[in-house]
Amino acid sequence: MSDKAILEYGGERFEFPVIKGTEDELAIDIKTLRASTGMVTIDPGYKNTGSCESAITFLNGEQGILRYRGYSIEDLAEKADFLEVAYLLIFGELPNKEQLEKFHSDIKEESQVDEEMKKILDAFPKSAHPMGVLSSMTSALVAFNPSCVDVASESAMYNSIVRILAKFPVLVAWTLRKKKGLPLDYGDDALGYVENVHKMMFKRPNKEYTKDQIAINALDKLLILHADHEQNCSTSTVRIVGSSHAGLFASLSAGISALWGPLHGGANQAVLEMLEAIEADGGDTKKYMAKAKDKDDPFRLMGFGHRVYKNFDPRAKIIKKSADEVLGNLGIEDPILDIAKGLEKEALEDKYFVDRKLYPNVDFYSGIIYRALGIPTEMFTVMFALGRLPGWIAQWREMRLRKEPIGRPRQVYIGEKHREFVPLEKR
Ligand code: CMC
């Protein structure tokens, strides 16, 4: 096969190199397109545009494959813990015992959040959506840690990474505790990373915290499954904001806002609200299937479909099994799980969904587990953000180390041509 792509336009012929990734993915390198042809490409939603070369996550949507740094998501979800996966994503290799211990102890050293931050949190109404609160609080961290923006040295970068991995779970827990009216607390350095998250979220002021291994394992697995997903909306946001040399925390805050939307991370909240609405409406899944297929109805089957997966989302398979196990182990019978399974079965046999290759995605079953763990619906996307944190960090770090140029797409202007200015009194 030729390693060049030919473009013919206006009687001229232009050649562009074709590059190949390690998994044989092909891309036309159009870096010189505008300079040589005077044209740009147009690709709304970037459906055909590779924004970067990346060595972090491999995804094959046709075959339903997801790997972090070469390791399959199935193996990592089964055999690793979230902190190991975070290290793997950010630094490229699984840590050995000493590296993991040092990483964890460096994180613990940074696990304080300035007490003044509590005043900022205090100013939010209790009704504020937790994602807005989390994004603002992450941005506010910059003011208390101004040195974090120095990315000139690898050690400064490491310090920023460790700092945010330490402080972010505290912000997540505070966001939940504010919602529930619980006192704001700090973690316990004697605990594992995820166990500490669990304790910070659920510890009651008047009661000893008791370790809940089922909940901690479930949380660990969900965080791993959400840890990275290559160039999705929020990750691209983190990379593009970071490409202007804005700091890590500011870039992350923008990523959290991008994740919030119901077509992206906010889908986990939307799925549960949809399942609850179907249950309240008598559990008639067929009615909602018909609504989802009706082009005059804005309703979509939330948790179904994906920009890149045209096959089973491998994360959804793992989560579905996990939902069964967690609910079984906790002795919970949730009618919402049955509705979800019913919808899935119908969709997988329905021509509309089959033709469009719409399968359940990561968010279809995750909310059912979060609900079983006692996490309020509005907090689901915050949990997604906690899981995605190492992926965002890894992508931001890669972008800075590769010295990528500032992200600045072109456009095709379709507005008015030049017009003479009309003074106010003559309009
Ligand atoms: N229910 C009904 N129809 C759908 C759905 C759905 N959930 N998803 C896609 N379609 C239809 C869509 O109407 C279109 O039909 P047609 O070709 O007749 O116009 C076709 O399938 C292609 O859809 P699209 O919107 O062009 O595809 P996209 O790649 O732009 O959008 C998506 C992908 C995830 C935004 C979309 O499938 C969707 O809105 N799903 C529901 C929201 C959701 O679950 N989001 C979470 C994604 S996974 C978590 C994450 O990583 O963010």
Side-chain angles (χ1 to χ4, degrees):
M1 192 199 295
S2 159
D3 56 358
K4 291 204 183 325
I6 312 291
L7 173 71
E8 282 186 356
Y9 181 75
E12 278 195 82
R13 195 179 146 91
F14 306 93
E15 283 189 359
F16 298 97
V18 171
I19 58 170
K20 200 190 235 189
T22 43
E23 293 283 351
D24 293 338
E25 286 171 306
L26 297 175
I28 306 169
D29 178 349
I30 57 159
K31 283 192 212 78
T32 61
L33 178 73
R34 191 165 178 279
S36 57
T37 68
M39 290 190 284
V40 298
T41 55
I42 187 126
D43 186 21
Y46 310 121
K47 293 191 177 191
N48 307 281
T49 299
S51 60
C52 60
E53 291 173 81
S54 177
I56 301 170
T57 288
F58 173 68
L59 197 168
N60 182 320
E62 280 72 32
Q63 292 171 27
I65 295 173
L66 176 62
R67 295 185 201 130
Y68 300 160
R69 302 281 189 186
Y71 296 101
S72 79
I73 192 66
E74 291 80 7
D75 269 353
L76 292 170
E78 186 67 33
K79 298 169 189 161
D81 72 23
F82 180 59
L83 205 57
E84 282 177 277
V85 170
Y87 187 100
L88 169 72
L89 283 167
I90 298 168
F91 302 113
E93 297 295 338
L94 282 167
N96 62 28
K97 205 164 172 289
E98 289 74 38
Q99 287 167 325
L100 188 60
E101 275 169 13
K102 176 172 182 332
F103 189 45
H104 196 191
S105 98
D106 291 341
I107 289 173
K108 286 190 245 183
E109 279 301 308
E110 292 285 350
S111 60
Q112 294 293 308
V113 170
D114 197 301
E115 283 284 302
E116 297 277 309
M117 289 279 288
K118 289 184 178 173
K119 292 189 191 151
I120 299 177
L121 184 67
D122 203 34
F124 283 97
K126 232 183 193 175
S127 59
H129 194 284
M131 283 298 274
V133 175
L134 185 67
S135 171
S136 308
M137 294 291 283
T138 306
S139 195
L141 267 186
V142 182
F144 295 91
N145 302 270
S147 64
C148 281
V149 293
D150 177 14
V151 294
S153 76
E154 187 57 12
S155 72
M157 210 185 263
Y158 177 81
N159 291 339
S160 295
I161 290 169
V162 158
R163 215 167 275 172
I164 192 68
L165 282 168
K167 298 184 196 309
F168 197 73
V170 180
L171 300 185
V172 165
W174 282 6
T175 307
L176 172 72
R177 296 180 79 84
K178 157 110 191 170
K179 194 108 204 128
K180 290 191 157 178
L182 291 168
L184 305 182
D185 225 336
Y186 287 100
D188 180 346
D189 280 356
L191 306 182
Y193 189 82
V194 175
E195 184 181 357
N196 192 29
V197 170
H198 188 260
K199 179 173 178 184
M200 283 195 286
M201 288 174 75
F202 291 105
K203 187 180 177 304
R204 300 268 152 183
N206 48 345
K207 219 172 157 189
E208 254 325 279
Y209 167 79
T210 44
K211 183 173 176 172
D212 180 345
Q213 201 57 54
I214 296 171
I216 293 162
N217 291 348
L219 210 49
D220 204 293
K221 195 174 277 196
L222 282 172
L223 296 176
I224 291 173
L225 294 175
H226 284 93
D228 196 47
H229 212 235
E230 52 116 302
Q231 307 313 316
N232 54 82
C233 179
S234 57
T235 301
S236 299
T237 301
V238 169
R239 281 184 90 123
I240 205 161
V241 173
S243 79
S244 75
H245 294 196
L248 173 60
F249 298 177
S251 308
L252 292 170
S253 166
I256 295 164
S257 297
L259 186 73
W260 190 357
L263 298 190
H264 189 15
N268 56 12
Q269 175 178 339
V271 169
L272 209 95
E273 285 166 353
M274 173 188 80
L275 295 173
E276 280 171 348
I278 297 175
E279 192 202 14
D281 195 19
D284 184 356
T285 50
K286 292 211 165 36
K287 175 175 161 189
Y288 286 85
M289 285 290 290
K291 274 167 76 62
K293 294 188 283 182
D294 180 355
K295 290 288 167 204
D296 297 324
D297 190 326
F299 177 80
R300 279 193 165 195
L301 198 55
M302 299 311 286
F304 259 77
H306 200 276
R307 169 59 60 79
V308 285
Y309 289 120
K310 301 302 166 200
N311 198 326
F312 260 98
D313 179 338
R315 303 167 299 173
K317 277 193 198 169
I318 301 171
I319 293 186
K320 182 180 178 185
K321 191 161 163 261
S322 186
D324 273 329
E325 283 165 9
V326 173
L327 268 63
N329 288 338
L330 295 174
I332 296 174
E333 272 180 37
D334 191 341
I336 284 225
L337 180 60
D338 298 329
I339 292 177
K341 285 183 178 171
L343 273 177
E344 179 187 329
K345 189 170 179 301
E346 281 173 42
L348 292 178
E349 289 164 0
D350 189 289
K351 189 170 163 12
Y352 174 97
F353 286 85
V354 172
D355 286 354
R356 289 168 181 74
K357 298 190 169 64
L358 301 170
Y359 290 87
N361 61 49
V362 67
D363 287 327
F364 195 62
Y365 287 103
S366 64
I368 294 171
I369 304 182
Y370 288 136
R371 182 164 123 127
L373 300 182
I375 297 173
T377 313
E378 275 200 331
M379 279 293 293
F380 291 179
T381 317
V382 166
M383 301 314 292
F384 190 153
L386 180 63
R388 186 54 54 89
L389 182 67
W392 286 332
I393 295 171
Q395 302 272 351
W396 171 85
R397 178 176 176 270
E398 180 181 72
M399 181 270 307
R400 292 307 306 262
L401 291 180
R402 288 175 61 91
K403 297 191 171 39
E404 284 180 11
I406 185 166
R408 204 300 184 188
R410 292 269 177 175
Q411 64 166 13
V412 174
Y413 177 69
I414 55 165
E416 296 285 349
K417 285 196 177 232
H418 177 253
R419 300 196 266 181
E420 290 305 328
F421 179 76
V422 183
L424 186 59
E425 59 280 10
K426 292 201 176 156
R427 277 177 238 154

mmCIF file of all heavy atoms in Angstrom, residues 8-25:
data_model
loop_
_atom_site.group_PDB
_atom_site.id
_atom_site.type_symbol
_atom_site.label_atom_id
_atom_site.label_comp_id
_atom_site.label_asym_id
_atom_site.label_seq_id
_atom_site.Cartn_x
_atom_site.Cartn_y
_atom_site.Cartn_z
ATOM 1 N N GLU A 8 -6.546 15.578 -5.492
ATOM 2 C CA GLU A 8 -6.568 16.310 -6.758
ATOM 3 C C GLU A 8 -7.615 17.404 -6.666
ATOM 4 O O GLU A 8 -8.762 17.153 -6.275
ATOM 5 C CB GLU A 8 -6.911 15.353 -7.911
ATOM 6 C CG GLU A 8 -5.702 14.514 -8.302
ATOM 7 C CD GLU A 8 -5.948 13.657 -9.538
ATOM 8 O OE1 GLU A 8 -7.078 13.649 -10.071
ATOM 9 O OE2 GLU A 8 -4.992 12.982 -9.932
ATOM 10 N N TYR A 9 -7.207 18.623 -6.998
ATOM 11 C CA TYR A 9 -8.165 19.732 -6.962
ATOM 12 C C TYR A 9 -7.695 20.818 -7.936
ATOM 13 O O TYR A 9 -6.503 21.149 -7.958
ATOM 14 C CB TYR A 9 -8.283 20.320 -5.538
ATOM 15 C CG TYR A 9 -9.286 21.444 -5.474
ATOM 16 C CD1 TYR A 9 -10.643 21.169 -5.492
ATOM 17 C CD2 TYR A 9 -8.865 22.773 -5.451
ATOM 18 C CE1 TYR A 9 -11.574 22.203 -5.474
ATOM 19 C CE2 TYR A 9 -9.790 23.803 -5.434
ATOM 20 C CZ TYR A 9 -11.142 23.512 -5.442
ATOM 21 O OH TYR A 9 -12.073 24.537 -5.427
ATOM 22 N N GLY A 10 -8.647 21.344 -8.707
ATOM 23 C CA GLY A 10 -8.321 22.442 -9.633
ATOM 24 C C GLY A 10 -7.225 22.061 -10.611
ATOM 25 O O GLY A 10 -6.375 22.902 -10.944
ATOM 26 N N GLY A 11 -7.224 20.790 -11.024
ATOM 27 C CA GLY A 11 -6.227 20.343 -12.010
ATOM 28 C C GLY A 11 -4.851 20.110 -11.403
ATOM 29 O O GLY A 11 -3.891 19.777 -12.106
ATOM 30 N N GLU A 12 -4.736 20.291 -10.091
ATOM 31 C CA GLU A 12 -3.424 20.055 -9.449
ATOM 32 C C GLU A 12 -3.468 18.809 -8.583
ATOM 33 O O GLU A 12 -4.541 18.378 -8.142
ATOM 34 C CB GLU A 12 -3.059 21.257 -8.582
ATOM 35 C CG GLU A 12 -2.448 22.394 -9.370
ATOM 36 C CD GLU A 12 -1.782 23.387 -8.432
ATOM 37 O OE1 GLU A 12 -0.643 23.150 -8.008
ATOM 38 O OE2 GLU A 12 -2.469 24.387 -8.094
ATOM 39 N N ARG A 13 -2.310 18.268 -8.329
ATOM 40 C CA ARG A 13 -2.204 17.029 -7.574
ATOM 41 C C ARG A 13 -1.299 17.282 -6.355
ATOM 42 O O ARG A 13 -0.205 17.822 -6.498
ATOM 43 C CB ARG A 13 -1.530 16.022 -8.518
ATOM 44 C CG ARG A 13 -1.596 14.600 -8.138
ATOM 45 C CD ARG A 13 -0.883 13.826 -9.260
ATOM 46 N NE ARG A 13 -0.198 12.670 -8.715
ATOM 47 C CZ ARG A 13 -0.752 11.494 -8.613
ATOM 48 N NH1 ARG A 13 -1.969 11.293 -9.043
ATOM 49 N NH2 ARG A 13 -0.089 10.490 -8.088
ATOM 50 N N PHE A 14 -1.810 16.931 -5.196
ATOM 51 C CA PHE A 14 -1.041 17.165 -3.969
ATOM 52 C C PHE A 14 -0.837 15.832 -3.243
ATOM 53 O O PHE A 14 -1.748 15.001 -3.227
ATOM 54 C CB PHE A 14 -1.788 18.133 -3.042
ATOM 55 C CG PHE A 14 -2.178 19.423 -3.697
ATOM 56 C CD1 PHE A 14 -3.434 19.581 -4.281
ATOM 57 C CD2 PHE A 14 -1.293 20.486 -3.742
ATOM 58 C CE1 PHE A 14 -3.807 20.760 -4.885
ATOM 59 C CE2 PHE A 14 -1.661 21.690 -4.349
ATOM 60 C CZ PHE A 14 -2.917 21.825 -4.931
ATOM 61 N N GLU A 15 0.325 15.661 -2.671
ATOM 62 C CA GLU A 15 0.612 14.402 -1.953
ATOM 63 C C GLU A 15 0.751 14.678 -0.458
ATOM 64 O O GLU A 15 1.367 15.664 -0.061
ATOM 65 C CB GLU A 15 1.938 13.818 -2.441
ATOM 66 C CG GLU A 15 1.836 13.137 -3.777
ATOM 67 C CD GLU A 15 3.116 12.375 -4.124
ATOM 68 O OE1 GLU A 15 4.071 12.396 -3.325
ATOM 69 O OE2 GLU A 15 3.126 11.775 -5.199
ATOM 70 N N PHE A 16 0.188 13.778 0.325
ATOM 71 C CA PHE A 16 0.304 13.908 1.781
ATOM 72 C C PHE A 16 0.755 12.573 2.369
ATOM 73 O O PHE A 16 0.262 11.513 1.936
ATOM 74 C CB PHE A 16 -1.037 14.329 2.404
ATOM 75 C CG PHE A 16 -1.492 15.664 1.910
ATOM 76 C CD1 PHE A 16 -2.401 15.750 0.862
ATOM 77 C CD2 PHE A 16 -0.973 16.827 2.440
ATOM 78 C CE1 PHE A 16 -2.796 16.977 0.360
ATOM 79 C CE2 PHE A 16 -1.368 18.067 1.954
ATOM 80 C CZ PHE A 16 -2.274 18.145 0.900
ATOM 81 N N PRO A 17 1.660 12.604 3.347
ATOM 82 C CA PRO A 17 2.122 11.337 3.923
ATOM 83 C C PRO A 17 0.999 10.633 4.690
ATOM 84 O O PRO A 17 0.119 11.289 5.268
ATOM 85 C CB PRO A 17 3.238 11.751 4.889
ATOM 86 C CG PRO A 17 3.293 13.228 4.892
ATOM 87 C CD PRO A 17 2.292 13.781 3.933
ATOM 88 N N VAL A 18 1.019 9.305 4.658
ATOM 89 C CA VAL A 18 0.084 8.522 5.478
ATOM 90 C C VAL A 18 0.901 7.959 6.631
ATOM 91 O O VAL A 18 1.946 7.352 6.429
ATOM 92 C CB VAL A 18 -0.548 7.383 4.647
ATOM 93 C CG1 VAL A 18 -1.339 6.432 5.538
ATOM 94 C CG2 VAL A 18 -1.469 7.977 3.574
ATOM 95 N N ILE A 19 0.421 8.208 7.848
ATOM 96 C CA ILE A 19 1.154 7.673 8.994
ATOM 97 C C ILE A 19 0.382 6.501 9.606
ATOM 98 O O ILE A 19 -0.834 6.409 9.470
ATOM 99 C CB ILE A 19 1.479 8.758 10.059
ATOM 100 C CG1 ILE A 19 0.195 9.431 10.562
ATOM 101 C CG2 ILE A 19 2.446 9.793 9.517
ATOM 102 C CD1 ILE A 19 0.427 10.313 11.752
ATOM 103 N N LYS A 20 1.126 5.619 10.273
ATOM 104 C CA LYS A 20 0.522 4.395 10.805
ATOM 105 C C LYS A 20 0.819 4.293 12.306
ATOM 106 O O LYS A 20 1.973 4.463 12.719
ATOM 107 C CB LYS A 20 1.178 3.216 10.083
ATOM 108 C CG LYS A 20 0.366 1.937 10.137
ATOM 109 C CD LYS A 20 1.210 0.810 9.623
ATOM 110 C CE LYS A 20 0.532 0.086 8.489
ATOM 111 N NZ LYS A 20 1.246 -1.144 8.123
ATOM 112 N N GLY A 21 -0.214 4.048 13.098
ATOM 113 C CA GLY A 21 -0.002 3.860 14.531
ATOM 114 C C GLY A 21 0.485 2.444 14.829
ATOM 115 O O GLY A 21 0.535 1.605 13.931
ATOM 116 N N THR A 22 0.806 2.183 16.101
ATOM 117 C CA THR A 22 1.343 0.857 16.449
ATOM 118 C C THR A 22 0.301 -0.251 16.277
ATOM 119 O O THR A 22 0.645 -1.414 16.165
ATOM 120 C CB THR A 22 1.863 0.815 17.908
ATOM 121 O OG1 THR A 22 0.928 1.483 18.746
ATOM 122 C CG2 THR A 22 3.216 1.469 18.039
ATOM 123 N N GLU A 23 -0.974 0.110 16.250
ATOM 124 C CA GLU A 23 -2.019 -0.894 16.024
ATOM 125 C C GLU A 23 -2.539 -0.803 14.585
ATOM 126 O O GLU A 23 -3.687 -1.146 14.304
ATOM 127 C CB GLU A 23 -3.169 -0.702 17.027
ATOM 128 C CG GLU A 23 -2.786 -0.996 18.473
ATOM 129 C CD GLU A 23 -2.707 -2.490 18.784
ATOM 130 O OE1 GLU A 23 -3.111 -3.302 17.941
ATOM 131 O OE2 GLU A 23 -2.229 -2.822 19.892
ATOM 132 N N ASP A 24 -1.669 -0.304 13.685
ATOM 133 C CA ASP A 24 -1.958 -0.212 12.242
ATOM 134 C C ASP A 24 -3.073 0.752 11.875
ATOM 135 O O ASP A 24 -3.644 0.656 10.791
ATOM 136 C CB ASP A 24 -2.286 -1.607 11.659
ATOM 137 C CG ASP A 24 -1.071 -2.507 11.683
ATOM 138 O OD1 ASP A 24 0.056 -1.947 11.744
ATOM 139 O OD2 ASP A 24 -1.240 -3.740 11.657
ATOM 140 N N GLU A 25 -3.389 1.670 12.758
ATOM 141 C CA GLU A 25 -4.379 2.699 12.385
ATOM 142 C C GLU A 25 -3.724 3.671 11.410
ATOM 143 O O GLU A 25 -2.575 4.076 11.615
ATOM 144 C CB GLU A 25 -4.804 3.485 13.623
ATOM 145 C CG GLU A 25 -5.722 2.716 14.539
ATOM 146 C CD GLU A 25 -5.926 3.467 15.824
ATOM 147 O OE1 GLU A 25 -4.928 3.812 16.474
ATOM 148 O OE2 GLU A 25 -7.079 3.725 16.166
#
